[in-house]
PDB file of all heavy atoms in Angstrom:
ATOM      1  N   ILE A 890     -14.713 -40.807 -10.890  1.00  0.00           N
ATOM      2  CA  ILE A 890     -15.928 -40.681 -10.110  1.00  0.00           C
ATOM      3  C   ILE A 890     -15.610 -39.971  -8.809  1.00  0.00           C
ATOM      4  O   ILE A 890     -14.589 -40.178  -8.176  1.00  0.00           O
ATOM      5  CB  ILE A 890     -16.474 -42.116  -9.800  1.00  0.00           C
ATOM      6  CG1 ILE A 890     -17.924 -42.005  -9.168  1.00  0.00           C
ATOM      7  CG2 ILE A 890     -15.538 -42.926  -8.852  1.00  0.00           C
ATOM      8  CD1 ILE A 890     -18.632 -43.329  -9.082  1.00  0.00           C
ATOM      9  N   TRP A 891     -16.473 -39.052  -8.445  1.00  0.00           N
ATOM     10  CA  TRP A 891     -16.462 -38.463  -7.098  1.00  0.00           C
ATOM     11  C   TRP A 891     -17.475 -39.220  -6.245  1.00  0.00           C
ATOM     12  O   TRP A 891     -18.638 -39.221  -6.511  1.00  0.00           O
ATOM     13  CB  TRP A 891     -16.830 -36.952  -7.118  1.00  0.00           C
ATOM     14  CG  TRP A 891     -16.678 -36.389  -5.759  1.00  0.00           C
ATOM     15  CD1 TRP A 891     -17.592 -36.340  -4.755  1.00  0.00           C
ATOM     16  CD2 TRP A 891     -15.443 -35.840  -5.199  1.00  0.00           C
ATOM     17  NE1 TRP A 891     -16.994 -35.754  -3.613  1.00  0.00           N
ATOM     18  CE2 TRP A 891     -15.719 -35.479  -3.826  1.00  0.00           C
ATOM     19  CE3 TRP A 891     -14.108 -35.635  -5.682  1.00  0.00           C
ATOM     20  CZ2 TRP A 891     -14.780 -34.952  -3.007  1.00  0.00           C
ATOM     21  CZ3 TRP A 891     -13.178 -35.116  -4.885  1.00  0.00           C
ATOM     22  CH2 TRP A 891     -13.509 -34.728  -3.513  1.00  0.00           C
ATOM     23  N   SER A 892     -16.877 -39.988  -5.324  1.00  0.00           N
ATOM     24  CA  SER A 892     -15.431 -39.975  -4.931  1.00  0.00           C
ATOM     25  C   SER A 892     -14.988 -41.447  -4.869  1.00  0.00           C
ATOM     26  O   SER A 892     -15.773 -42.335  -4.903  1.00  0.00           O
ATOM     27  CB  SER A 892     -15.271 -39.297  -3.600  1.00  0.00           C
ATOM     28  OG  SER A 892     -16.227 -39.816  -2.655  1.00  0.00           O
ATOM     29  N   LEU A 893     -13.681 -41.607  -4.729  1.00  0.00           N
ATOM     30  CA  LEU A 893     -13.109 -42.952  -4.612  1.00  0.00           C
ATOM     31  C   LEU A 893     -13.710 -43.676  -3.403  1.00  0.00           C
ATOM     32  O   LEU A 893     -14.268 -44.768  -3.565  1.00  0.00           O
ATOM     33  CB  LEU A 893     -11.583 -42.856  -4.484  1.00  0.00           C
ATOM     34  CG  LEU A 893     -10.906 -44.248  -4.295  1.00  0.00           C
ATOM     35  CD1 LEU A 893     -11.054 -45.109  -5.495  1.00  0.00           C
ATOM     36  CD2 LEU A 893      -9.417 -43.972  -4.020  1.00  0.00           C
ATOM     37  N   MET A 894     -13.577 -43.063  -2.286  1.00  0.00           N
ATOM     38  CA  MET A 894     -14.192 -43.548  -1.008  1.00  0.00           C
ATOM     39  C   MET A 894     -14.994 -42.425  -0.431  1.00  0.00           C
ATOM     40  O   MET A 894     -14.893 -41.263  -0.854  1.00  0.00           O
ATOM     41  CB  MET A 894     -13.092 -44.054  -0.031  1.00  0.00           C
ATOM     42  CG  MET A 894     -12.156 -42.955   0.502  1.00  0.00           C
ATOM     43  SD  MET A 894     -10.988 -42.364  -0.759  1.00  0.00           S
ATOM     44  CE  MET A 894      -9.707 -41.791   0.326  1.00  0.00           C
ATOM     45  N   ASP A 895     -15.811 -42.711   0.502  1.00  0.00           N
ATOM     46  CA  ASP A 895     -16.558 -41.659   1.201  1.00  0.00           C
ATOM     47  C   ASP A 895     -15.586 -40.723   1.850  1.00  0.00           C
ATOM     48  O   ASP A 895     -14.594 -41.083   2.391  1.00  0.00           O
ATOM     49  CB  ASP A 895     -17.479 -42.225   2.331  1.00  0.00           C
ATOM     50  CG  ASP A 895     -18.612 -43.099   1.722  1.00  0.00           C
ATOM     51  OD1 ASP A 895     -19.005 -42.863   0.556  1.00  0.00           O
ATOM     52  OD2 ASP A 895     -19.095 -43.920   2.466  1.00  0.00           O
ATOM     53  N   VAL A 896     -15.866 -39.419   1.746  1.00  0.00           N
ATOM     54  CA  VAL A 896     -14.984 -38.400   2.294  1.00  0.00           C
ATOM     55  C   VAL A 896     -15.777 -37.332   3.059  1.00  0.00           C
ATOM     56  O   VAL A 896     -17.027 -37.330   2.978  1.00  0.00           O
ATOM     57  CB  VAL A 896     -14.254 -37.717   1.092  1.00  0.00           C
ATOM     58  CG1 VAL A 896     -13.351 -38.634   0.368  1.00  0.00           C
ATOM     59  CG2 VAL A 896     -15.196 -36.955   0.156  1.00  0.00           C
ATOM     60  N   PHE A 897     -15.056 -36.513   3.660  1.00  0.00           N
ATOM     61  CA  PHE A 897     -15.664 -35.337   4.389  1.00  0.00           C
ATOM     62  C   PHE A 897     -16.151 -34.312   3.362  1.00  0.00           C
ATOM     63  O   PHE A 897     -15.498 -34.049   2.382  1.00  0.00           O
ATOM     64  CB  PHE A 897     -14.534 -34.678   5.292  1.00  0.00           C
ATOM     65  CG  PHE A 897     -14.874 -33.281   5.736  1.00  0.00           C
ATOM     66  CD1 PHE A 897     -15.650 -33.026   6.817  1.00  0.00           C
ATOM     67  CD2 PHE A 897     -14.241 -32.162   5.079  1.00  0.00           C
ATOM     68  CE1 PHE A 897     -15.944 -31.729   7.282  1.00  0.00           C
ATOM     69  CE2 PHE A 897     -14.553 -30.907   5.530  1.00  0.00           C
ATOM     70  CZ  PHE A 897     -15.379 -30.708   6.607  1.00  0.00           C
ATOM     71  N   SER A 898     -17.325 -33.761   3.558  1.00  0.00           N
ATOM     72  CA  SER A 898     -17.922 -32.801   2.678  1.00  0.00           C
ATOM     73  C   SER A 898     -17.852 -31.427   3.370  1.00  0.00           C
ATOM     74  O   SER A 898     -18.166 -31.218   4.497  1.00  0.00           O
ATOM     75  CB  SER A 898     -19.386 -33.126   2.330  1.00  0.00           C
ATOM     76  OG  SER A 898     -19.969 -32.052   1.618  1.00  0.00           O
ATOM     77  N   TRP A 899     -17.438 -30.390   2.554  1.00  0.00           N
ATOM     78  CA  TRP A 899     -17.219 -29.056   3.010  1.00  0.00           C
ATOM     79  C   TRP A 899     -18.398 -28.434   3.786  1.00  0.00           C
ATOM     80  O   TRP A 899     -18.245 -27.870   4.815  1.00  0.00           O
ATOM     81  CB  TRP A 899     -16.885 -28.112   1.846  1.00  0.00           C
ATOM     82  CG  TRP A 899     -15.713 -28.544   1.009  1.00  0.00           C
ATOM     83  CD1 TRP A 899     -15.812 -29.259  -0.161  1.00  0.00           C
ATOM     84  CD2 TRP A 899     -14.358 -28.382   1.282  1.00  0.00           C
ATOM     85  NE1 TRP A 899     -14.508 -29.479  -0.647  1.00  0.00           N
ATOM     86  CE2 TRP A 899     -13.618 -29.045   0.218  1.00  0.00           C
ATOM     87  CE3 TRP A 899     -13.639 -27.833   2.265  1.00  0.00           C
ATOM     88  CZ2 TRP A 899     -12.227 -29.116   0.218  1.00  0.00           C
ATOM     89  CZ3 TRP A 899     -12.207 -27.881   2.259  1.00  0.00           C
ATOM     90  CH2 TRP A 899     -11.493 -28.517   1.214  1.00  0.00           C
ATOM     91  N   VAL A 900     -19.585 -28.646   3.271  1.00  0.00           N
ATOM     92  CA  VAL A 900     -20.793 -28.068   3.915  1.00  0.00           C
ATOM     93  C   VAL A 900     -21.760 -29.108   4.375  1.00  0.00           C
ATOM     94  O   VAL A 900     -22.753 -28.739   4.976  1.00  0.00           O
ATOM     95  CB  VAL A 900     -21.461 -27.083   2.943  1.00  0.00           C
ATOM     96  CG1 VAL A 900     -20.584 -25.851   2.676  1.00  0.00           C
ATOM     97  CG2 VAL A 900     -21.908 -27.715   1.661  1.00  0.00           C
ATOM     98  N   ASN A 901     -21.522 -30.417   4.146  1.00  0.00           N
ATOM     99  CA  ASN A 901     -22.454 -31.446   4.521  1.00  0.00           C
ATOM    100  C   ASN A 901     -21.878 -32.433   5.570  1.00  0.00           C
ATOM    101  O   ASN A 901     -22.555 -33.341   5.950  1.00  0.00           O
ATOM    102  CB  ASN A 901     -22.950 -32.256   3.323  1.00  0.00           C
ATOM    103  CG  ASN A 901     -23.629 -31.334   2.323  1.00  0.00           C
ATOM    104  OD1 ASN A 901     -24.774 -30.870   2.512  1.00  0.00           O
ATOM    105  ND2 ASN A 901     -22.992 -31.064   1.232  1.00  0.00           N
ATOM    106  N   GLY A 902     -20.590 -32.244   5.888  1.00  0.00           N
ATOM    107  CA  GLY A 902     -19.997 -33.225   6.872  1.00  0.00           C
ATOM    108  C   GLY A 902     -19.891 -34.587   6.324  1.00  0.00           C
ATOM    109  O   GLY A 902     -19.308 -34.867   5.312  1.00  0.00           O
TER     110      GLY A 902
END
Side-chain angles (χ1 to χ4, degrees):
I890 190 169
W891 185 268
S892 50
L893 177 63
M894 64 290 205
D895 292 336
V896 297
F897 164 80
S898 173
W899 306 98
V900 294
N901 300 288

